[in-house]
Amino acid sequence: MTNFSEVYEAVYQRGDLGGIDRRLAVNPLTNPPAGARPNSIAVEGGAFGDEGKGRVVDEVCGRMIGVRHQGVVYRWNGGANAGHTVIVGERRLALHQVPSGALFSGVTVVLGKGMVIHPGDLLAEIAEVRAIAGELPATLQVDEMAVLALDTHRALENVLKTWAEGGRGATGRGISPAYADVLFRHPLRVRDLAAEDWRDRLSRHYDLYTALVGGLGGDLAGQPVARLVGGPIPVGGKAEFLARLGEQRAALLPFIHSVYGLIRDLWADPAVPFIFEGAQAVGLDPRFGVYPDVTSSDPTFHGIVASTEGLIQTGAIAVRMATLKATYTSSVGTRRLPTMMAPDLAGRIREDAHEYGATTKRPRDIAHIDLPCLRFFAQVSGATHLVLTHLDIAYPDVPVRVCTHYLDAQGRPAGYRPDQVYLDSVQAQYRDLPSWDGAAVCNVSRLDDLPDAALRYIAFLAGALGVTPLFGTTGPAREALIAWLPG
Ligand code: IMP
C-alpha cells in the first residue's frame, strides 16, 4: 500500500512541481526509452471508461499522421459496447467499433484480432461516417481473426441477466458471450463469415445458441436485441438470421483482411506512426477491474500483445498513456466504488460534464479520485504517461477530494483489490486539495494560463500515480488542449 504523503509534502509544502509547469525537454515519441520503437503510442482508459480517449487519439493522429498522411491506427479490444463522439464540422459522429483515427486520410485503420465485431452495427457505423465525411477517409481493415459478436450473443446475454447477477450492468451488445465463445473454444471469427461455407458455419452456430438460450428458458428467434440504429429487433428464425448476415457479409467482404503480415511489416519501419486505440478501461478488465461488473476483453496495454499475436510487446511501445478525468471518476454499470460522491456534487458534475453513456445513454455514477485504485491500474497496465481530461470541471468553492487509502473492516489501512465484495467492506479516507475556477480554465491551451492550484494538483496526481503528464483538456473544443509533449 502506498503512502502518498511524500508526494503531498513535495508538491503542497515545498512547492516542487516536478517540472509540470513546462513542456517536456525530450519528445518520447522521437527519443523513446531503450528497447521501445519510435513513433508508437497507445491510449488506454485509466479508470472505468469514458475518459475521453477518442479525443486524445484525434489529437495524436493530427500530430503524428496529419502531415504525413500515413500511419496505422489499431484498435485492440472491445466491440459495440464502446462509444465516443467525434465532432466533424457542425456534426456529431458517434463511433463504436470504428476507431477515431478513421477520419484521417491516408491512415490504415485496423479492427484487431482482440475485438468482437457485430457486422450489422459496423456497417451502420461505416454508413454514418460516409454520410458525414463523403467517403471513408481511411483504409479500414477488419482482421479476419477478430471474433464475431452476433444477435445470438446479444440474445444469450439478455437471457443470462435474468439468471446470473454478474453481467447485469452489461451494455446488451453481446460482448461476454462472444468472448466466452473463445474460452469455450468454439468462436466464430470474421474469417468464418468470409468463408465459402459461411452458411453452414453460421447455421451450426444458430443451432447451438437456440439450445443455449432455450435451455435458459428463452426463445432465440423471438428475443429482442439492441441495434446501433433504431430500436431492438427480434433475432428472427434461422432463415431470417442467415439472410440478414448474407447481405452484411457481401457488404463487409472488401474490408476483411489478414492483417498479421501488414502489421509485421509496417511495425518494422520506425518511420510509420503507430497509434493504438483502446476501448473501455483498466477498471473494466476482468482480472484487475471491479469484478464482477467488468467487461470481457483485454482493455490494458497488454491486450495489444495478444491482439497482434505477440508481434508487438507492451514495452516496445514508446508512449503508453492512461487517460483520466482530472478531478473525478465516472462509472456506468452496477459496480459500487468506495469513493462515490454525495448526490448533490455528483449531480452538479453530471450536468456540467454531461455524464451520460454514449452507447446506452445511462446517467453515469460520479466518484472522487481514488489514488490506491488508480495507481494500481496505472502500474498493472504499464502506463508511462498521463492524459487528464475535464480540467475545467472544478469549483472554487469545493476542494478536490482525493482518496489516499482505505480502512478495512478492522479499521486497518488497506489498499485496492479487484473484488466488489472486498471493496464493499472498506471505507475510503480522504484528503482535500485546493481547487480552482473551472470556468476560468475552460479553453485554456497554454500551460502558463493554468492557475497555481491546477498545476499543483496535476503535479500531485502525476507523482502519486507514477506517470508523466502528456496532455490535458480544458473543454470540448479541439483547441481546448494543453500539451506537455513538445512539437
Ligand atoms: P459489457 O462490456 O457490455 O459486457 O459491459 C460490462 C461492463 O462494462 C458494464 O458495467 C458496462 O457498463 C461497462 N462498459 C462497457 N463498455 C463501456 C464503455 O465503453 N464505457 C464505460 N463503461 C463500459
Side-chain angles (χ1 to χ4, degrees), residues 341-377:
M341 267 184 204
D344 49 345
L345 182 57
R348 187 173 176 186
I349 292 177
R350 189 177 298 115
E351 293 317 307
D352 288 352
H354 197 71
E355 290 292 356
Y356 293 89
T359 300
T360 56
K361 315 286 182 247
R362 289 178 283 183
R364 295 177 184 145
D365 292 325
I366 310 293
H368 294 292
I369 290 288
D370 181 338
L371 296 178
C373 165
L374 296 180
R375 185 176 166 93
F376 174 84
F377 289 171

PDB file of all heavy atoms in Angstrom, residues 341-377:
ATOM      1  N   MET A 341     -19.506   9.861  -4.827  1.00  0.00           N
ATOM      2  CA  MET A 341     -19.735  11.209  -4.296  1.00  0.00           C
ATOM      3  C   MET A 341     -21.129  11.363  -3.722  1.00  0.00           C
ATOM      4  O   MET A 341     -22.048  10.643  -4.124  1.00  0.00           O
ATOM      5  CB  MET A 341     -19.627  12.213  -5.441  1.00  0.00           C
ATOM      6  CG  MET A 341     -18.269  12.793  -5.614  1.00  0.00           C
ATOM      7  SD  MET A 341     -18.315  14.034  -6.908  1.00  0.00           S
ATOM      8  CE  MET A 341     -16.604  14.006  -7.385  1.00  0.00           C
ATOM      9  N   ALA A 342     -21.283  12.350  -2.853  1.00  0.00           N
ATOM     10  CA  ALA A 342     -22.618  12.706  -2.359  1.00  0.00           C
ATOM     11  C   ALA A 342     -23.448  13.180  -3.557  1.00  0.00           C
ATOM     12  O   ALA A 342     -22.903  13.771  -4.500  1.00  0.00           O
ATOM     13  CB  ALA A 342     -22.503  13.806  -1.323  1.00  0.00           C
ATOM     14  N   PRO A 343     -24.774  12.929  -3.535  1.00  0.00           N
ATOM     15  CA  PRO A 343     -25.595  13.180  -4.720  1.00  0.00           C
ATOM     16  C   PRO A 343     -25.579  14.628  -5.230  1.00  0.00           C
ATOM     17  O   PRO A 343     -25.618  14.842  -6.439  1.00  0.00           O
ATOM     18  CB  PRO A 343     -27.012  12.808  -4.268  1.00  0.00           C
ATOM     19  CG  PRO A 343     -26.838  11.963  -3.048  1.00  0.00           C
ATOM     20  CD  PRO A 343     -25.516  12.305  -2.444  1.00  0.00           C
ATOM     21  N   ASP A 344     -25.468  15.608  -4.340  1.00  0.00           N
ATOM     22  CA  ASP A 344     -25.558  16.987  -4.850  1.00  0.00           C
ATOM     23  C   ASP A 344     -24.347  17.347  -5.714  1.00  0.00           C
ATOM     24  O   ASP A 344     -24.494  17.864  -6.829  1.00  0.00           O
ATOM     25  CB  ASP A 344     -25.786  17.994  -3.706  1.00  0.00           C
ATOM     26  CG  ASP A 344     -24.812  17.786  -2.549  1.00  0.00           C
ATOM     27  OD1 ASP A 344     -24.171  16.716  -2.508  1.00  0.00           O
ATOM     28  OD2 ASP A 344     -24.679  18.693  -1.708  1.00  0.00           O
ATOM     29  N   LEU A 345     -23.135  17.031  -5.250  1.00  0.00           N
ATOM     30  CA  LEU A 345     -21.944  17.341  -6.053  1.00  0.00           C
ATOM     31  C   LEU A 345     -21.909  16.449  -7.304  1.00  0.00           C
ATOM     32  O   LEU A 345     -21.588  16.908  -8.402  1.00  0.00           O
ATOM     33  CB  LEU A 345     -20.676  17.153  -5.213  1.00  0.00           C
ATOM     34  CG  LEU A 345     -19.368  17.486  -5.929  1.00  0.00           C
ATOM     35  CD1 LEU A 345     -19.378  18.915  -6.461  1.00  0.00           C
ATOM     36  CD2 LEU A 345     -18.160  17.276  -5.005  1.00  0.00           C
ATOM     37  N   ALA A 346     -22.290  15.181  -7.127  1.00  0.00           N
ATOM     38  CA  ALA A 346     -22.305  14.272  -8.280  1.00  0.00           C
ATOM     39  C   ALA A 346     -23.261  14.811  -9.348  1.00  0.00           C
ATOM     40  O   ALA A 346     -22.940  14.827 -10.542  1.00  0.00           O
ATOM     41  CB  ALA A 346     -22.738  12.876  -7.837  1.00  0.00           C
ATOM     42  N   GLY A 347     -24.423  15.294  -8.911  1.00  0.00           N
ATOM     43  CA  GLY A 347     -25.414  15.825  -9.860  1.00  0.00           C
ATOM     44  C   GLY A 347     -24.880  17.056 -10.586  1.00  0.00           C
ATOM     45  O   GLY A 347     -25.069  17.221 -11.793  1.00  0.00           O
ATOM     46  N   ARG A 348     -24.186  17.904  -9.848  1.00  0.00           N
ATOM     47  CA  ARG A 348     -23.624  19.118 -10.456  1.00  0.00           C
ATOM     48  C   ARG A 348     -22.611  18.760 -11.539  1.00  0.00           C
ATOM     49  O   ARG A 348     -22.638  19.285 -12.655  1.00  0.00           O
ATOM     50  CB  ARG A 348     -22.956  19.926  -9.329  1.00  0.00           C
ATOM     51  CG  ARG A 348     -22.462  21.277  -9.713  1.00  0.00           C
ATOM     52  CD  ARG A 348     -21.990  21.988  -8.445  1.00  0.00           C
ATOM     53  NE  ARG A 348     -21.415  23.278  -8.729  1.00  0.00           N
ATOM     54  CZ  ARG A 348     -20.818  24.046  -7.807  1.00  0.00           C
ATOM     55  NH1 ARG A 348     -20.755  23.646  -6.554  1.00  0.00           N
ATOM     56  NH2 ARG A 348     -20.301  25.219  -8.127  1.00  0.00           N
ATOM     57  N   ILE A 349     -21.734  17.828 -11.199  1.00  0.00           N
ATOM     58  CA  ILE A 349     -20.713  17.410 -12.180  1.00  0.00           C
ATOM     59  C   ILE A 349     -21.377  16.706 -13.364  1.00  0.00           C
ATOM     60  O   ILE A 349     -21.023  16.948 -14.526  1.00  0.00           O
ATOM     61  CB  ILE A 349     -19.674  16.489 -11.496  1.00  0.00           C
ATOM     62  CG1 ILE A 349     -18.863  17.307 -10.498  1.00  0.00           C
ATOM     63  CG2 ILE A 349     -18.781  15.801 -12.528  1.00  0.00           C
ATOM     64  CD1 ILE A 349     -17.844  16.511  -9.702  1.00  0.00           C
ATOM     65  N   ARG A 350     -22.360  15.864 -13.075  1.00  0.00           N
ATOM     66  CA  ARG A 350     -23.014  15.109 -14.160  1.00  0.00           C
ATOM     67  C   ARG A 350     -23.609  16.054 -15.197  1.00  0.00           C
ATOM     68  O   ARG A 350     -23.489  15.841 -16.402  1.00  0.00           O
ATOM     69  CB  ARG A 350     -24.099  14.194 -13.596  1.00  0.00           C
ATOM     70  CG  ARG A 350     -24.669  13.223 -14.639  1.00  0.00           C
ATOM     71  CD  ARG A 350     -25.688  12.276 -14.040  1.00  0.00           C
ATOM     72  NE  ARG A 350     -25.122  11.421 -13.024  1.00  0.00           N
ATOM     73  CZ  ARG A 350     -25.464  11.456 -11.723  1.00  0.00           C
ATOM     74  NH1 ARG A 350     -26.392  12.311 -11.294  1.00  0.00           N
ATOM     75  NH2 ARG A 350     -24.899  10.646 -10.859  1.00  0.00           N
ATOM     76  N   GLU A 351     -24.215  17.134 -14.710  1.00  0.00           N
ATOM     77  CA  GLU A 351     -24.813  18.079 -15.660  1.00  0.00           C
ATOM     78  C   GLU A 351     -23.733  18.903 -16.358  1.00  0.00           C
ATOM     79  O   GLU A 351     -23.757  19.070 -17.571  1.00  0.00           O
ATOM     80  CB  GLU A 351     -25.815  18.991 -14.951  1.00  0.00           C
ATOM     81  CG  GLU A 351     -27.051  18.259 -14.432  1.00  0.00           C
ATOM     82  CD  GLU A 351     -27.626  17.227 -15.414  1.00  0.00           C
ATOM     83  OE1 GLU A 351     -27.885  17.594 -16.574  1.00  0.00           O
ATOM     84  OE2 GLU A 351     -27.787  16.046 -15.025  1.00  0.00           O
ATOM     85  N   ASP A 352     -22.759  19.406 -15.598  1.00  0.00           N
ATOM     86  CA  ASP A 352     -21.725  20.273 -16.194  1.00  0.00           C
ATOM     87  C   ASP A 352     -20.879  19.517 -17.219  1.00  0.00           C
ATOM     88  O   ASP A 352     -20.450  20.073 -18.221  1.00  0.00           O
ATOM     89  CB  ASP A 352     -20.803  20.839 -15.103  1.00  0.00           C
ATOM     90  CG  ASP A 352     -21.517  21.900 -14.276  1.00  0.00           C
ATOM     91  OD1 ASP A 352     -22.642  22.278 -14.656  1.00  0.00           O
ATOM     92  OD2 ASP A 352     -20.961  22.334 -13.245  1.00  0.00           O
ATOM     93  N   ALA A 353     -20.609  18.240 -16.937  1.00  0.00           N
ATOM     94  CA  ALA A 353     -19.726  17.472 -17.834  1.00  0.00           C
ATOM     95  C   ALA A 353     -20.524  16.536 -18.734  1.00  0.00           C
ATOM     96  O   ALA A 353     -19.938  15.740 -19.472  1.00  0.00           O
ATOM     97  CB  ALA A 353     -18.714  16.683 -17.005  1.00  0.00           C
ATOM     98  N   HIS A 354     -21.843  16.636 -18.677  1.00  0.00           N
ATOM     99  CA  HIS A 354     -22.733  15.794 -19.470  1.00  0.00           C
ATOM    100  C   HIS A 354     -22.352  14.320 -19.343  1.00  0.00           C
ATOM    101  O   HIS A 354     -22.030  13.648 -20.326  1.00  0.00           O
ATOM    102  CB  HIS A 354     -22.755  16.236 -20.929  1.00  0.00           C
ATOM    103  CG  HIS A 354     -23.934  15.656 -21.646  1.00  0.00           C
ATOM    104  ND1 HIS A 354     -25.230  16.062 -21.413  1.00  0.00           N
ATOM    105  CD2 HIS A 354     -24.044  14.641 -22.526  1.00  0.00           C
ATOM    106  CE1 HIS A 354     -26.051  15.328 -22.116  1.00  0.00           C
ATOM    107  NE2 HIS A 354     -25.369  14.460 -22.810  1.00  0.00           N
ATOM    108  N   GLU A 355     -22.435  13.815 -18.146  1.00  0.00           N
ATOM    109  CA  GLU A 355     -22.015  12.432 -17.867  1.00  0.00           C
ATOM    110  C   GLU A 355     -23.177  11.452 -18.066  1.00  0.00           C
ATOM    111  O   GLU A 355     -23.773  10.964 -17.099  1.00  0.00           O
ATOM    112  CB  GLU A 355     -21.423  12.343 -16.453  1.00  0.00           C
ATOM    113  CG  GLU A 355     -20.084  13.041 -16.312  1.00  0.00           C
ATOM    114  CD  GLU A 355     -18.952  12.363 -17.089  1.00  0.00           C
ATOM    115  OE1 GLU A 355     -19.181  11.302 -17.680  1.00  0.00           O
ATOM    116  OE2 GLU A 355     -17.847  12.923 -17.109  1.00  0.00           O
ATOM    117  N   TYR A 356     -23.471  11.194 -19.341  1.00  0.00           N
ATOM    118  CA  TYR A 356     -24.481  10.191 -19.712  1.00  0.00           C
ATOM    119  C   TYR A 356     -23.841   9.266 -20.745  1.00  0.00           C
ATOM    120  O   TYR A 356     -23.110   9.729 -21.614  1.00  0.00           O
ATOM    121  CB  TYR A 356     -25.740  10.864 -20.288  1.00  0.00           C
ATOM    122  CG  TYR A 356     -26.476  11.679 -19.249  1.00  0.00           C
ATOM    123  CD1 TYR A 356     -26.162  13.020 -19.038  1.00  0.00           C
ATOM    124  CD2 TYR A 356     -27.457  11.095 -18.450  1.00  0.00           C
ATOM    125  CE1 TYR A 356     -26.804  13.761 -18.054  1.00  0.00           C
ATOM    126  CE2 TYR A 356     -28.114  11.832 -17.466  1.00  0.00           C
ATOM    127  CZ  TYR A 356     -27.778  13.164 -17.275  1.00  0.00           C
ATOM    128  OH  TYR A 356     -28.408  13.879 -16.290  1.00  0.00           O
ATOM    129  N   GLY A 357     -24.112   7.953 -20.639  1.00  0.00           N
ATOM    130  CA  GLY A 357     -23.452   6.968 -21.500  1.00  0.00           C
ATOM    131  C   GLY A 357     -23.628   7.251 -22.992  1.00  0.00           C
ATOM    132  O   GLY A 357     -24.737   7.529 -23.432  1.00  0.00           O
ATOM    133  N   ALA A 358     -22.517   7.146 -23.768  1.00  0.00           N
ATOM    134  CA  ALA A 358     -22.601   7.391 -25.215  1.00  0.00           C
ATOM    135  C   ALA A 358     -23.314   6.236 -25.920  1.00  0.00           C
ATOM    136  O   ALA A 358     -23.992   6.435 -26.922  1.00  0.00           O
ATOM    137  CB  ALA A 358     -21.203   7.578 -25.795  1.00  0.00           C
ATOM    138  N   THR A 359     -23.175   5.024 -25.381  1.00  0.00           N
ATOM    139  CA  THR A 359     -23.791   3.862 -26.032  1.00  0.00           C
ATOM    140  C   THR A 359     -25.182   3.600 -25.479  1.00  0.00           C
ATOM    141  O   THR A 359     -26.121   3.323 -26.227  1.00  0.00           O
ATOM    142  CB  THR A 359     -22.893   2.621 -25.844  1.00  0.00           C
ATOM    143  OG1 THR A 359     -21.631   2.892 -26.442  1.00  0.00           O
ATOM    144  CG2 THR A 359     -23.487   1.389 -26.508  1.00  0.00           C
ATOM    145  N   THR A 360     -25.337   3.706 -24.161  1.00  0.00           N
ATOM    146  CA  THR A 360     -26.610   3.310 -23.533  1.00  0.00           C
ATOM    147  C   THR A 360     -27.412   4.494 -22.996  1.00  0.00           C
ATOM    148  O   THR A 360     -28.529   4.308 -22.529  1.00  0.00           O
ATOM    149  CB  THR A 360     -26.339   2.335 -22.371  1.00  0.00           C
ATOM    150  OG1 THR A 360     -25.430   2.968 -21.460  1.00  0.00           O
ATOM    151  CG2 THR A 360     -25.735   1.034 -22.868  1.00  0.00           C
ATOM    152  N   LYS A 361     -26.826   5.705 -23.007  1.00  0.00           N
ATOM    153  CA  LYS A 361     -27.473   6.948 -22.519  1.00  0.00           C
ATOM    154  C   LYS A 361     -27.744   6.914 -21.007  1.00  0.00           C
ATOM    155  O   LYS A 361     -28.458   7.751 -20.486  1.00  0.00           O
ATOM    156  CB  LYS A 361     -28.796   7.229 -23.257  1.00  0.00           C
ATOM    157  CG  LYS A 361     -28.760   7.056 -24.770  1.00  0.00           C
ATOM    158  CD  LYS A 361     -28.031   8.191 -25.461  1.00  0.00           C
ATOM    159  CE  LYS A 361     -28.047   8.037 -26.963  1.00  0.00           C
ATOM    160  NZ  LYS A 361     -26.744   7.786 -27.575  1.00  0.00           N
ATOM    161  N   ARG A 362     -27.211   5.898 -20.295  1.00  0.00           N
ATOM    162  CA  ARG A 362     -27.459   5.822 -18.858  1.00  0.00           C
ATOM    163  C   ARG A 362     -26.728   6.963 -18.140  1.00  0.00           C
ATOM    164  O   ARG A 362     -25.601   7.302 -18.526  1.00  0.00           O
ATOM    165  CB  ARG A 362     -26.928   4.494 -18.294  1.00  0.00           C
ATOM    166  CG  ARG A 362     -27.734   3.290 -18.697  1.00  0.00           C
ATOM    167  CD  ARG A 362     -27.118   2.004 -18.150  1.00  0.00           C
ATOM    168  NE  ARG A 362     -25.960   1.580 -18.913  1.00  0.00           N
ATOM    169  CZ  ARG A 362     -25.281   0.460 -18.679  1.00  0.00           C
ATOM    170  NH1 ARG A 362     -25.618  -0.340 -17.697  1.00  0.00           N
ATOM    171  NH2 ARG A 362     -24.252   0.132 -19.428  1.00  0.00           N
ATOM    172  N   PRO A 363     -27.341   7.542 -17.063  1.00  0.00           N
ATOM    173  CA  PRO A 363     -26.584   8.525 -16.267  1.00  0.00           C
ATOM    174  C   PRO A 363     -25.405   7.825 -15.598  1.00  0.00           C
ATOM    175  O   PRO A 363     -25.551   6.719 -15.090  1.00  0.00           O
ATOM    176  CB  PRO A 363     -27.591   9.017 -15.212  1.00  0.00           C
ATOM    177  CG  PRO A 363     -28.757   8.111 -15.273  1.00  0.00           C
ATOM    178  CD  PRO A 363     -28.694   7.306 -16.539  1.00  0.00           C
ATOM    179  N   ARG A 364     -24.232   8.450 -15.639  1.00  0.00           N
ATOM    180  CA  ARG A 364     -23.052   7.809 -15.059  1.00  0.00           C
ATOM    181  C   ARG A 364     -22.939   8.128 -13.567  1.00  0.00           C
ATOM    182  O   ARG A 364     -23.287   9.239 -13.157  1.00  0.00           O
ATOM    183  CB  ARG A 364     -21.791   8.297 -15.772  1.00  0.00           C
ATOM    184  CG  ARG A 364     -21.759   7.880 -17.236  1.00  0.00           C
ATOM    185  CD  ARG A 364     -20.528   8.444 -17.952  1.00  0.00           C
ATOM    186  NE  ARG A 364     -20.562   8.118 -19.369  1.00  0.00           N
ATOM    187  CZ  ARG A 364     -20.118   8.917 -20.331  1.00  0.00           C
ATOM    188  NH1 ARG A 364     -19.598  10.099 -20.052  1.00  0.00           N
ATOM    189  NH2 ARG A 364     -20.185   8.540 -21.596  1.00  0.00           N
ATOM    190  N   ASP A 365     -22.441   7.153 -12.791  1.00  0.00           N
ATOM    191  CA  ASP A 365     -22.109   7.417 -11.398  1.00  0.00           C
ATOM    192  C   ASP A 365     -20.864   8.297 -11.366  1.00  0.00           C
ATOM    193  O   ASP A 365     -19.998   8.185 -12.242  1.00  0.00           O
ATOM    194  CB  ASP A 365     -21.810   6.105 -10.655  1.00  0.00           C
ATOM    195  CG  ASP A 365     -23.064   5.255 -10.500  1.00  0.00           C
ATOM    196  OD1 ASP A 365     -24.155   5.838 -10.328  1.00  0.00           O
ATOM    197  OD2 ASP A 365     -22.955   4.011 -10.548  1.00  0.00           O
ATOM    198  N   ILE A 366     -20.785   9.132 -10.338  1.00  0.00           N
ATOM    199  CA  ILE A 366     -19.636  10.041 -10.214  1.00  0.00           C
ATOM    200  C   ILE A 366     -18.954   9.776  -8.880  1.00  0.00           C
ATOM    201  O   ILE A 366     -19.614   9.732  -7.840  1.00  0.00           O
ATOM    202  CB  ILE A 366     -20.097  11.525 -10.269  1.00  0.00           C
ATOM    203  CG1 ILE A 366     -21.015  11.785 -11.481  1.00  0.00           C
ATOM    204  CG2 ILE A 366     -18.897  12.467 -10.275  1.00  0.00           C
ATOM    205  CD1 ILE A 366     -20.347  11.680 -12.831  1.00  0.00           C
ATOM    206  N   ALA A 367     -17.629   9.612  -8.928  1.00  0.00           N
ATOM    207  CA  ALA A 367     -16.884   9.265  -7.714  1.00  0.00           C
ATOM    208  C   ALA A 367     -15.667  10.180  -7.565  1.00  0.00           C
ATOM    209  O   ALA A 367     -15.192  10.765  -8.544  1.00  0.00           O
ATOM    210  CB  ALA A 367     -16.429   7.805  -7.784  1.00  0.00           C
ATOM    211  N   HIS A 368     -15.185  10.280  -6.321  1.00  0.00           N
ATOM    212  CA  HIS A 368     -13.948  11.019  -6.080  1.00  0.00           C
ATOM    213  C   HIS A 368     -12.758  10.230  -6.624  1.00  0.00           C
ATOM    214  O   HIS A 368     -12.811   8.999  -6.748  1.00  0.00           O
ATOM    215  CB  HIS A 368     -13.745  11.226  -4.570  1.00  0.00           C
ATOM    216  CG  HIS A 368     -14.779  12.108  -3.942  1.00  0.00           C
ATOM    217  ND1 HIS A 368     -14.862  13.450  -4.212  1.00  0.00           N
ATOM    218  CD2 HIS A 368     -15.779  11.836  -3.062  1.00  0.00           C
ATOM    219  CE1 HIS A 368     -15.856  13.972  -3.526  1.00  0.00           C
ATOM    220  NE2 HIS A 368     -16.442  13.010  -2.827  1.00  0.00           N
ATOM    221  N   ILE A 369     -11.686  10.951  -6.907  1.00  0.00           N
ATOM    222  CA  ILE A 369     -10.447  10.314  -7.361  1.00  0.00           C
ATOM    223  C   ILE A 369      -9.942   9.367  -6.268  1.00  0.00           C
ATOM    224  O   ILE A 369      -9.836   9.749  -5.107  1.00  0.00           O
ATOM    225  CB  ILE A 369      -9.383  11.408  -7.657  1.00  0.00           C
ATOM    226  CG1 ILE A 369      -9.782  12.210  -8.902  1.00  0.00           C
ATOM    227  CG2 ILE A 369      -7.987  10.795  -7.811  1.00  0.00           C
ATOM    228  CD1 ILE A 369      -9.657  11.495 -10.215  1.00  0.00           C
ATOM    229  N   ASP A 370      -9.647   8.137  -6.683  1.00  0.00           N
ATOM    230  CA  ASP A 370      -9.269   7.081  -5.743  1.00  0.00           C
ATOM    231  C   ASP A 370      -7.816   6.689  -6.046  1.00  0.00           C
ATOM    232  O   ASP A 370      -7.537   5.907  -6.967  1.00  0.00           O
ATOM    233  CB  ASP A 370     -10.227   5.896  -5.966  1.00  0.00           C
ATOM    234  CG  ASP A 370      -9.957   4.736  -5.031  1.00  0.00           C
ATOM    235  OD1 ASP A 370      -8.829   4.641  -4.514  1.00  0.00           O
ATOM    236  OD2 ASP A 370     -10.869   3.916  -4.847  1.00  0.00           O
ATOM    237  N   LEU A 371      -6.880   7.260  -5.283  1.00  0.00           N
ATOM    238  CA  LEU A 371      -5.456   7.051  -5.600  1.00  0.00           C
ATOM    239  C   LEU A 371      -5.008   5.594  -5.494  1.00  0.00           C
ATOM    240  O   LEU A 371      -4.282   5.118  -6.375  1.00  0.00           O
ATOM    241  CB  LEU A 371      -4.576   7.948  -4.723  1.00  0.00           C
ATOM    242  CG  LEU A 371      -4.756   9.456  -4.943  1.00  0.00           C
ATOM    243  CD1 LEU A 371      -3.869  10.217  -3.967  1.00  0.00           C
ATOM    244  CD2 LEU A 371      -4.411   9.852  -6.370  1.00  0.00           C
ATOM    245  N   PRO A 372      -5.399   4.854  -4.438  1.00  0.00           N
ATOM    246  CA  PRO A 372      -4.933   3.454  -4.386  1.00  0.00           C
ATOM    247  C   PRO A 372      -5.368   2.667  -5.615  1.00  0.00           C
ATOM    248  O   PRO A 372      -4.605   1.883  -6.184  1.00  0.00           O
ATOM    249  CB  PRO A 372      -5.608   2.896  -3.125  1.00  0.00           C
ATOM    250  CG  PRO A 372      -5.990   4.077  -2.313  1.00  0.00           C
ATOM    251  CD  PRO A 372      -6.186   5.220  -3.256  1.00  0.00           C
ATOM    252  N   CYS A 373      -6.592   2.896  -6.032  1.00  0.00           N
ATOM    253  CA  CYS A 373      -7.140   2.185  -7.184  1.00  0.00           C
ATOM    254  C   CYS A 373      -6.464   2.646  -8.477  1.00  0.00           C
ATOM    255  O   CYS A 373      -5.981   1.823  -9.272  1.00  0.00           O
ATOM    256  CB  CYS A 373      -8.652   2.446  -7.198  1.00  0.00           C
ATOM    257  SG  CYS A 373      -9.491   2.057  -8.701  1.00  0.00           S
ATOM    258  N   LEU A 374      -6.367   3.947  -8.694  1.00  0.00           N
ATOM    259  CA  LEU A 374      -5.830   4.451  -9.967  1.00  0.00           C
ATOM    260  C   LEU A 374      -4.328   4.166 -10.089  1.00  0.00           C
ATOM    261  O   LEU A 374      -3.822   3.945 -11.185  1.00  0.00           O
ATOM    262  CB  LEU A 374      -6.119   5.949 -10.112  1.00  0.00           C
ATOM    263  CG  LEU A 374      -7.614   6.300 -10.192  1.00  0.00           C
ATOM    264  CD1 LEU A 374      -7.805   7.804 -10.324  1.00  0.00           C
ATOM    265  CD2 LEU A 374      -8.310   5.575 -11.357  1.00  0.00           C
ATOM    266  N   ARG A 375      -3.630   4.171  -8.955  1.00  0.00           N
ATOM    267  CA  ARG A 375      -2.203   3.827  -9.017  1.00  0.00           C
ATOM    268  C   ARG A 375      -2.031   2.349  -9.372  1.00  0.00           C
ATOM    269  O   ARG A 375      -1.176   1.984 -10.171  1.00  0.00           O
ATOM    270  CB  ARG A 375      -1.519   4.137  -7.683  1.00  0.00           C
ATOM    271  CG  ARG A 375      -0.029   3.894  -7.760  1.00  0.00           C
ATOM    272  CD  ARG A 375       0.642   4.305  -6.474  1.00  0.00           C
ATOM    273  NE  ARG A 375       1.988   3.789  -6.402  1.00  0.00           N
ATOM    274  CZ  ARG A 375       3.062   4.449  -6.804  1.00  0.00           C
ATOM    275  NH1 ARG A 375       2.945   5.657  -7.302  1.00  0.00           N
ATOM    276  NH2 ARG A 375       4.263   3.914  -6.705  1.00  0.00           N
ATOM    277  N   PHE A 376      -2.876   1.516  -8.795  1.00  0.00           N
ATOM    278  CA  PHE A 376      -2.844   0.090  -9.145  1.00  0.00           C
ATOM    279  C   PHE A 376      -3.089  -0.078 -10.648  1.00  0.00           C
ATOM    280  O   PHE A 376      -2.372  -0.814 -11.326  1.00  0.00           O
ATOM    281  CB  PHE A 376      -3.911  -0.644  -8.324  1.00  0.00           C
ATOM    282  CG  PHE A 376      -4.085  -2.088  -8.694  1.00  0.00           C
ATOM    283  CD1 PHE A 376      -3.259  -3.066  -8.159  1.00  0.00           C
ATOM    284  CD2 PHE A 376      -5.076  -2.487  -9.595  1.00  0.00           C
ATOM    285  CE1 PHE A 376      -3.417  -4.409  -8.504  1.00  0.00           C
ATOM    286  CE2 PHE A 376      -5.241  -3.813  -9.951  1.00  0.00           C
ATOM    287  CZ  PHE A 376      -4.409  -4.779  -9.400  1.00  0.00           C
ATOM    288  N   PHE A 377      -4.090   0.620 -11.180  1.00  0.00           N
ATOM    289  CA  PHE A 377      -4.420   0.499 -12.613  1.00  0.00           C
ATOM    290  C   PHE A 377      -3.239   0.950 -13.484  1.00  0.00           C
ATOM    291  O   PHE A 377      -2.905   0.308 -14.480  1.00  0.00           O
ATOM    292  CB  PHE A 377      -5.654   1.344 -12.956  1.00  0.00           C
ATOM    293  CG  PHE A 377      -6.947   0.813 -12.400  1.00  0.00           C
ATOM    294  CD1 PHE A 377      -8.111   1.566 -12.481  1.00  0.00           C
ATOM    295  CD2 PHE A 377      -7.016  -0.441 -11.801  1.00  0.00           C
ATOM    296  CE1 PHE A 377      -9.314   1.080 -11.974  1.00  0.00           C
ATOM    297  CE2 PHE A 377      -8.205  -0.935 -11.286  1.00  0.00           C
ATOM    298  CZ  PHE A 377      -9.359  -0.168 -11.379  1.00  0.00           C
TER     299      PHE A 377
END
